[in-house]
Amino acid sequence: MAEGRTEKPARKRAEPKAVSAVPNEGLDRIWRAFLNSMRGLQEGLLTESAIRQEMAIAAFGLVLSFFVARDIWTWMALVGSMLLVLSAEFLNTAIERLCDHVHPDKHEAIRITKDLASAGVFFALVLCGLVWLAALWTRFAT
């Protein structure tokens, strides 16, 4: 070893730490994921007017779908398109909340990120509208 240099101590390999005492496997993992989802659903319903509005429309649409759909596949498309809108809205809300947390002040990059997430909701709404128009057309105009 060269004079004036000190030898660095060997790095100890860190042992992985257990995140929780309860194993996160199998049914336990699925149950915990379900509880996380329910907390997210509750948070969205309590704090976001767009989610409440879209949930009310979806509840009405669910009832209406039984009268509009002639077969199971049309019904699945009607309900699935509404679920897609709700999924997009929850993701949009999560992105907006994260952006606000990371950078609470106005910033151009944050605005663009929020606008992109909002565009995702817009296209889910367009798809939902097209599916409903096609189902209504098929049911009542033919």
Side-chain angles (χ1 to χ4, degrees), residues 1-11:
M1 182 169 219
E3 219 175 289
R5 287 192 178 167
T6 58
E7 188 175 323
K8 291 183 181 177
R11 286 182 84 173

Side-chain angles (χ1 to χ4, degrees), residues 125-135:
L125 286 166
V126 168
L127 177 63
C128 185
L130 290 172
V131 167
W132 274 84
L133 283 173

